Amino acid sequence: YDTLIARQPKINRYYLNRSFPKRKTGNLEGALLDLEKAIDLYPYDYSAHYNRGEVLMELGHYRPAIAAFESARRLHPKVFYGNMNLGRAYQVAGFSSRAISIFNQAIRKNQNNGEAYYLRGSERIKQQKLRLAYSDLRVAQMLGYSAATEKLAELQKQLASLR
């Protein structure tokens, strides 16, 4: 892509495509620079915003990741497939209620997504909504999300101690 960019530096897709191997090889800062250049050249590129959010998450920059995922969602709300990543970004940034709202949207899109139930249940535990958390974790477990089993056992102990 370096040759293509040297010949035609105004084509945003070249920067987007060059960001993928950089990201795979661990050059996250380089990938981020390419994604930002792709967005500068064409701000309506859903993929560039979405991938920028993923790279920012990997770098631990959660609030900017939220903004990138939200930009992608605004560009194509009907096809946005990043509810899980957006929810995780809100979750690690400390916005528990917003994370739950996003996980609700992920569940509405795919009711067989055990991870979404698990993550929503985990956030509900933080909010001390233990019965709702229990319900979410049970569903996640029934859907085969293995991490739910351990979390559910911990929650059952916690609920038993409250009785």
Side-chain angles (χ1 to χ4, degrees):
Y1 290 102
D2 293 337
T3 305
L4 292 170
I5 289 171
R7 285 190 207 150
Q8 295 179 305
K10 299 280 186 201
I11 298 184
N12 89 306
R13 275 292 171 184
Y14 294 161
Y15 294 94
L16 173 68
N17 291 340
R18 187 172 72 174
S19 76
F20 297 130
K22 286 183 179 181
R23 184 175 172 198
K24 281 195 188 275
T25 59
N27 181 1
L28 298 177
E29 295 293 342
L32 184 59
L33 288 172
D34 279 347
L35 291 166
E36 289 171 349
K37 181 66 175 177
I39 292 167
D40 284 345
L41 291 170
Y42 185 67
Y44 306 105
D45 189 327
Y46 167 86
S47 295
H49 286 282
Y50 184 82
N51 285 291
R52 182 173 175 266
E54 287 188 332
V55 169
L56 287 164
M57 286 289 289
E58 289 181 52
L59 288 168
H61 304 303
Y62 305 119
R63 287 179 187 230
I66 290 169
F69 288 134
E70 289 288 8
S71 293
R73 187 162 71 155
R74 273 191 302 279
L75 287 170
H76 290 289
K78 297 254 190 265
V79 298
F80 183 67
Y81 54 83
N83 281 320
M84 294 301 294
N85 284 338
L86 178 58
R88 272 191 222 91
Y90 276 114
Q91 185 178 40
V92 294
F95 300 107
S96 189
S97 294
R98 189 69 182 128
I100 288 173
S101 173
I102 298 297
F103 294 137
N104 287 341
Q105 293 170 34
I107 290 167
R108 275 195 295 278
K109 283 188 175 187
N110 178 6
Q111 293 182 351
N112 293 319
N113 186 343
E115 184 182 13
Y117 286 99
Y118 173 81
L119 292 171
R120 185 174 73 178
S122 296
E123 283 306 297
R124 286 178 165 168
I125 289 171
K126 291 178 190 174
Q127 295 180 335
Q128 295 298 308
K129 296 179 179 177
L130 302 182
R131 299 218 185 284
L132 290 171
Y134 179 83
S135 174
D136 281 341
L137 294 172
R138 285 283 298 145
V139 173
Q141 183 184 43
M142 288 187 287
L143 291 171
Y145 194 73
S146 59
T149 301
E150 185 178 323
K151 188 85 135 189
L152 192 56
E154 293 171 18
L155 182 59
Q156 286 172 326
K157 288 178 189 171
Q158 193 174 353
L159 286 170
S161 71
L162 294 175
R163 292 181 185 151

